Amino acid sequence: MGVATEQPVGSDADPALRPRSAVGVGLAAGCAVLVLALPLLTTAMLGDWSYRTIQLEYPGARVALSTTVVQVGAQAGAVLSIGALVHLLFLQVGSARELAWLPERLELRMLQTTSLLWLGCATFLVLLRGLDGNGLSFADLSDPQAAIYLFEATEASAPWLINAGAALLVAAGAWYAHRWTGLLLPLFAALVGVLAPVVSGQVLVGPNHDIGSDAAAIQTVAAYPTLGAIAIAALRVGSGRLLAPAMLPRLLRLTVAGLVVMVTTEVPFILFTLAGSAPTASVTGWFLIVRAALLVSLVAVVGTGWWLGQGGLLRSRSLALLLATGLVLATAWSAVSVAMTRVPPPHYFVHSTIAEVYLGFDTPLPPTAWVLFTQWRANVLFASMAVLGVGLYLYGTWRLHRRGDRWPVGRTLAWVLGWLTVVLATSSGFGRYSGPDFGVHMIGHMALNMLAPGLLVLGGPLTLALRTSSGRGGAGMHQWLTWLLHWRGLRVLYNPLLVFIGFISSYYGLYFTPLFNDYMKYHWAHQLMNVHFLLIGYLYYGLVVGVDRTPRPLPHIAKLGYVLAAMPFHAFFGVILMTSKQIVAEEFYSYLDMPWADLARSQYVAGGVAWAGGEIPLMIIIVVLAVQWARQDSREGRRKDRQLDAGRDEELAAYNQMMRQLAERSAPRAAGTPGEDSP
């Protein structure tokens, strides 16, 4: 991509840039006013109406307006913090050695400032959301009984407690991290933190909320890095600091990919939110129209930048104008998104069955074999993960093939089959009935925890990524992956003892405690369980039969013992389920009250699935491990044969060298012995 622009300034402290800093200040101030105006106006105009319509007590204008202002501040701080993290981790240019350490530049200073803004607002929101969601005013805080009630009724404020914890971790990384790997965990925590209020908010209510929740979650993960990266780049250019030409292609690729995801997920989100009503029939509908128009405009701006960059026509003035426009559109989109949270959406008022309240859909038929294989319902999250995973993998194999390199077909087949297993377990009737039937749930659990990960690790995705990425031209994906594989945090994650404990405790800690009963009531918690099953299974099998080299590789004999040690735990777990008289998550299944349900029989089936479903995959893994062991011994034997044929046997050479050294040491002593004994 050619970019016609002036030579970028290497230092942020260049005095020549300071006169233009007023442009950045003015741009930031204008966006601050824009992002505050619409949510505040919405809250003030609606008054107590938005509370009364959903049977909530009105906490008063002071609490409502304060909550809105602080929520805007928390979202702005989060967007800018994540944008700064993306710039520091993935958009900087230079040699790998230079970028291993965090540079003292504008992005780091902005991260330090915005993370503190995010932390302060999110912490205050823990209190404000408790007041706002429970109809309490500031004056009520003086009443001890009201304070106790606020402490106990934490449902409204708990997501913001997670959000504040993420902000704290980001702030700690911003001020104390010295290497780029020190920001990896804060970036992950930031994405989890911004997800918490979204998945537990308005999208958790109404029919089809499983689709709406997944669409909103995916859009959130894409929106914060995309909008944040645009905002940081715009503020940098507005302060007079030019972007390096090599940075622009990375920024454009990121924004294009992010906007594609945002546009794609906006469609199911709109359909779920409107719930069949006309877009102009509600305040939320008008907000959705404006939000869609802003998103289309943002796509047009980024598309224009891409087109100009491809033609070598993107100059510094046009770049500054495009970034400023993009910042304004991104700010307006964020303002509309916050304002929407202050208005009850149409799907709140649609009649829902008990199954739709908990699951998002009905399951009137019993889970027969025909129903399980024919009654499909797309799990948007895992279907998207599968499409992305298979697509990127096939693209990598195509790149290898194009340059003449070979990639084993068996690895590609294992990777594709692994994701097909995930889709079957989550989007077929097995996924649909994993909520109302414990036996079907256990089949999905075994597929995600035992079968799919074993296939995925045989695909060797990291090895493929390292082979397809270039190690030249400064820091890029190859360098990031190399550093990541040597990161201390990854060594802790792949600690065999911790992985084993996590793999086994997933069963006992989840099903024999109240955790499973509570998690099944919420779609986000059910999805979190599935993600955990897949991830811990991937870590476990990655240590045993994975193609990718792990930070803590085990010898084959240890791998065999690792697998054998897990087998009794699955058997005990299955036996306990089959013989127990206490029904797992009985409260949840009683709430659903499915006419075809037989809880005792379902639990007995679940125990049998856990027993057989745990033993059979592990036996298959032992066979795979034996094959890998034999192949490695065969390769080692062939290598030694080649060395012997070439006269380069390292062990024999070392032995001969040792014997020569011993002979040289004893030769002078032997020569001097007769002289010492002679008279």
Side-chain angles (χ1 to χ4, degrees):
M1 179 182 296
V3 180
T5 182
E6 298 95 327
Q7 181 67 26
V9 179
S11 172
D12 291 337
D14 193 323
L17 299 176
R18 292 179 182 175
R20 293 186 60 189
S21 61
V23 177
V25 173
L27 187 63
C31 289
V33 173
L34 176 62
V35 77
L36 274 171
L38 183 60
L40 273 177
L41 185 62
T42 301
T43 304
M45 292 183 63
L46 293 179
D48 64 345
W49 175 85
S50 59
Y51 295 82
R52 287 187 291 103
T53 53
I54 53 176
Q55 285 78 48
L56 287 181
E57 291 289 335
Y58 183 52
R62 291 175 59 192
V63 170
L65 292 175
S66 298
T67 302
T68 303
V69 171
V70 178
Q71 184 176 343
V72 169
Q75 177 158 315
V79 169
L80 292 174
S81 295
I82 293 176
L85 285 170
V86 169
H87 270 263
L88 289 169
L89 288 173
F90 308 118
L91 300 184
Q92 300 298 325
V93 293
S95 67
R97 184 179 297 273
E98 292 173 346
L99 296 183
W101 300 90
L102 291 178
E104 288 289 339
R105 54 191 308 150
L106 177 68
E107 289 82 2
L108 182 59
R109 294 196 292 273
M110 291 192 68
L111 176 61
Q112 293 171 342
T113 303
T114 57
S115 62
L116 293 179
L117 170 66
W118 180 13
L119 176 60
C121 291
T123 303
F124 196 21
L125 267 176
V126 175
L127 171 64
L128 288 176
R129 289 296 298 176
L131 295 173
D132 188 66
N134 293 286
L136 299 176
S137 65
F138 288 121
D140 291 327
L141 291 176
S142 59
D143 184 356
Q145 294 298 324
I148 295 174
Y149 172 74
L150 181 64
F151 177 78
E152 294 176 347
T154 58
E155 185 174 352
S157 57
W160 289 103
L161 187 61
I162 298 174
N163 192 276
L168 177 61
L169 192 57
V170 172
W175 286 95
Y176 297 108
H178 299 290
R179 300 178 67 90
W180 78 275
T181 48
L183 297 181
L184 287 176
L185 186 58
L187 177 60
F188 175 77
L191 294 176
V192 172
V194 298
L195 272 176
V198 173
V199 299
S200 60
Q202 293 179 344
V203 296
L204 199 60
V205 179
N208 301 310
H209 71 259
D210 56 322
I211 296 176
S213 295
D214 286 351
I218 296 172
Q219 187 178 76
T220 300
V221 172
Y224 275 79
T226 302
L227 302 183
I230 293 174
I232 295 296
L235 293 175
R236 178 180 178 85
V237 172
S239 66
R241 298 163 173 84
L242 300 179
L243 297 177
M247 185 188 298
L248 291 177
R250 297 186 180 186
L251 177 62
L252 285 173
R253 284 194 294 268
L254 171 70
T255 53
V256 167
L259 287 174
V260 167
V261 175
M262 291 174 66
V263 171
T264 304
T265 53
E266 185 75 0
V267 176
F269 178 76
I270 290 176
L271 295 176
F272 157 71
T273 303
L274 293 179
S277 65
T280 57
S282 62
V283 177
T284 299
W286 283 106
F287 278 151
L288 288 172
I289 293 174
V290 174
R291 204 169 85 143
L294 292 170
L295 194 55
V296 171
S297 301
L298 193 57
V299 170
V301 169
V302 174
T304 302
W306 181 274
W307 177 74
L308 292 175
Q310 291 289 342
L313 304 175
L314 187 59
R315 304 186 182 279
S316 59
R317 290 186 179 274
S318 58
L319 173 63
L321 179 60
L322 287 172
L323 286 174
T325 306
L327 175 60
V328 172
L329 292 173
T331 302
W333 191 88
S334 299
V336 174
S337 300
V338 175
M340 286 176 58
T341 65
R342 309 300 301 171
V343 184
H347 66 82
Y348 267 34
F349 308 103
V350 177
H351 173 72
S352 302
T353 64
I354 295 298
E356 287 175 329
V357 169
Y358 286 110
L359 307 175
F361 50 87
D362 285 318
T363 54
L365 300 176
T368 62
W370 173 257
V371 169
L372 293 177
F373 283 101
T374 59
Q375 296 291 319
W376 285 63
R377 182 180 180 86
N379 187 307
V380 176
L381 176 62
F382 284 94
S384 302
M385 291 169 58
V387 170
L388 181 64
V390 172
L392 291 177
Y393 193 94
L394 294 179
Y395 173 71
T397 58
W398 173 78
R399 287 191 60 180
L400 283 182
H401 179 73
R402 188 178 61 172
R403 73 186 190 195
D405 293 340
R406 298 184 59 185
W407 183 255
V409 177
R411 293 183 183 179
T412 304
L413 183 62
W415 180 260
V416 174
L417 287 177
W419 281 115
L420 287 178
T421 303
V422 171
V423 172
L424 180 65
T426 56
S427 294
S428 69
F430 291 99
R432 184 168 189 158
Y433 280 82
S434 65
D437 188 272
F438 188 45
V440 177
H441 167 86
M442 193 57 65
I443 295 175
H445 181 164
M446 289 295 131
L448 292 174
N449 192 233
M450 305 292 291
L451 182 56
L455 292 168
L456 292 175
V457 298
L458 293 175
L462 288 180
T463 303
L464 177 63
L466 288 171
R467 288 188 58 182
T468 55
S469 58
S470 173
R472 303 183 301 272
M477 186 173 69
H478 190 90
Q479 285 77 13
W480 301 143
L481 289 175
T482 302
W483 284 336
L484 181 63
L485 292 175
H486 292 85
W487 182 37
R488 292 181 180 178
L490 198 63
R491 289 182 60 84
V492 174
L493 187 64
Y494 266 102
N495 185 293
L497 180 59
L498 294 180
V499 172
F500 186 84
I501 293 174
F503 186 68
I504 298 302
S505 64
S506 298
Y507 299 87
Y508 295 88
L510 178 63
Y511 297 109
F512 295 153
T513 66
L515 198 62
F516 180 69
N517 181 77
D518 295 336
Y519 271 24
M520 291 300 292
K521 299 175 183 177
Y522 307 101
H523 176 72
W524 64 265
H526 196 176
Q527 294 289 67
L528 182 62
M529 280 192 294
N530 289 337
V531 170
H532 170 76
F533 296 153
L534 190 62
L535 178 60
I536 195 65
Y538 189 92
L539 293 176
Y540 180 83
Y541 288 116
L543 286 170
V544 178
V545 294
V547 172
D548 297 324
R549 181 176 176 83
T550 62
R552 292 175 175 268
L554 299 174
H556 281 91
I557 188 64
K559 293 178 180 179
L560 179 61
Y562 204 59
V563 175
L564 293 175
M567 296 179 71
F569 291 97
H570 287 90
F572 294 154
F573 173 75
V575 170
I576 293 173
L577 284 181
M578 296 174 71
T579 58
S580 176
K581 300 300 182 182
Q582 182 176 357
I583 302 298
V584 174
E586 184 175 9
E587 178 187 78
F588 168 73
Y589 292 119
S590 298
Y591 286 161
L592 289 180
D593 193 24
M594 291 295 169
W596 44 260
D598 185 345
L599 301 185
R601 179 181 176 277
S602 179
Q603 181 163 315
Y604 186 84
V605 171
V609 170
W611 190 350
E615 300 296 311
I616 296 175
L618 290 177
M619 292 300 297
I620 296 174
I621 289 299
I622 290 176
V623 174
V624 174
L625 178 59
V627 172
Q628 291 181 342
W629 196 346
R631 287 180 176 178
Q632 181 176 345
D633 287 345
S634 179
R635 287 194 299 266
E636 185 68 19
R638 289 195 299 269
R639 184 183 66 83
K640 289 187 176 182
D641 289 341
R642 288 194 300 268
Q643 290 178 345
L644 288 173
D645 293 341
R648 297 196 308 268
D649 185 9
E650 297 177 359
E651 295 180 0
L652 181 59
Y655 177 76
N656 291 335
Q657 178 67 20
M658 181 186 69
M659 295 303 295
R660 282 195 297 270
Q661 291 176 352
L662 290 175
E664 291 173 359
R665 292 176 185 175
S666 60
R669 183 180 302 173
T673 300
E676 294 173 358
D677 294 339
S678 60

